[in-house]
């Protein structure tokens, strides 16, 4: 089945609140495979592209300031239907509405300070991956756990 990659950003509030390990742990325990990770400070140049679709919203400047307020940790998680799976683990955008049991549902009570970003489509994941990672930063490795988390049909 088709393996997808989803770009995840642990946002400044996630890092400041010490929730990085909790988030990584949830993705690992689900059975997703980490293929790239880096800590960085987001720039206006990246954010103007990243949030292009929000540039006319009244919260755009505040969103950019928030995303530059501390470093973020960017990760690329791979798996069967990874884009939908990762979004489900994150929960809906607003922490107040997000389902209990999801990352935002369990740890956020804000629409903006919602701890984490996850790609919302395979096309956007591709676009976001290119904005953050260089080819050499993505590691293709054999996960021994794959035989335990997928059936043979799902692995092929
Ligand atoms: P995310 O869905 O990762 O990407 C867009 C971000 O904009 C979203 O997370 C929130 O952090 C932020 N956002 C969305 N809606 C609002 C809003 N109404 N006010 C402020 N920030 C918002």
């Amino acid at each position: 089945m088709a393996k997808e990659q989803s770009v995840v950003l642990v946002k400044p509030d996630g890092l400041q609140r010490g929730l990085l390990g909790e988030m990584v742990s949830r993705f690992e325990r689900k059975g997703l495979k980490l293929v790239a990770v880096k800590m960085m400070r987001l720039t206006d140049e990246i954010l103007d592209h990243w949030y292009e679709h929000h540039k006319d919203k009244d919260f755009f400047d505040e969103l950019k300031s928030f995303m530059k307020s501390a470093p973020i940790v960017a990760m690329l998680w791979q798996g069967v239907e990874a884009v939908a799976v990762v979004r489900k683990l994150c929960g809906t955008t607003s922490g107040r509405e997000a389902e209990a049991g999801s990352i935002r549902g369990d740890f956020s009570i804000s629409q903006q300070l919602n701890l984490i970003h996850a790609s919302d489509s395979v096309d956007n994941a591709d676009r976001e991956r290119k904005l953050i990672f260089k080819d050499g930063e993505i590691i293709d490795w054999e996960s021994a756990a794959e035989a335990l988390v997928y059936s043979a049909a799902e692995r092929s």
Side-chain angles (χ1 to χ4, degrees), residues 26-73:
R26 288 181 178 220
F27 295 128
E28 282 186 316
R29 286 183 292 166
K30 181 70 173 171
L32 291 156
K33 181 164 88 169
L34 184 65
V35 295
V37 60
K38 73 171 163 186
M39 180 184 259
M40 61 193 289
R41 287 187 187 276
L42 291 175
T43 60
D44 281 325
E45 199 190 344
I46 294 174
L47 287 165
D48 285 341
H49 287 294
W50 194 272
Y51 288 131
E52 218 162 20
H53 51 299
H54 287 311
K55 72 174 188 312
D56 297 326
K57 306 261 171 68
D58 53 5
F59 60 81
F60 183 62
D61 288 342
E62 197 187 331
L63 175 61
K64 278 184 26 177
S65 300
F66 160 56
M67 292 298 286
K68 290 186 293 181
S69 64
I72 57 96
V73 175

Side-chain angles (χ1 to χ4, degrees), residues 11 51 54 59 63 66 93 104 111-112 114 116-118:
K11 295 183 179 182
Y51 288 131
H54 287 311
F59 60 81
L63 175 61
F66 160 56
T93 302
R104 289 165 173 162
Q111 176 131 22
Q112 182 169 90
N114 61 359
I116 190 159
H117 166 90

Side-chain angles (χ1 to χ4, degrees), residues 6-20:
S6 176
V7 179
V8 167
L9 304 182
V10 174
K11 295 183 179 182
D13 54 334
L15 190 68
Q16 294 281 22
R17 288 180 53 192
L19 290 169
L20 171 64

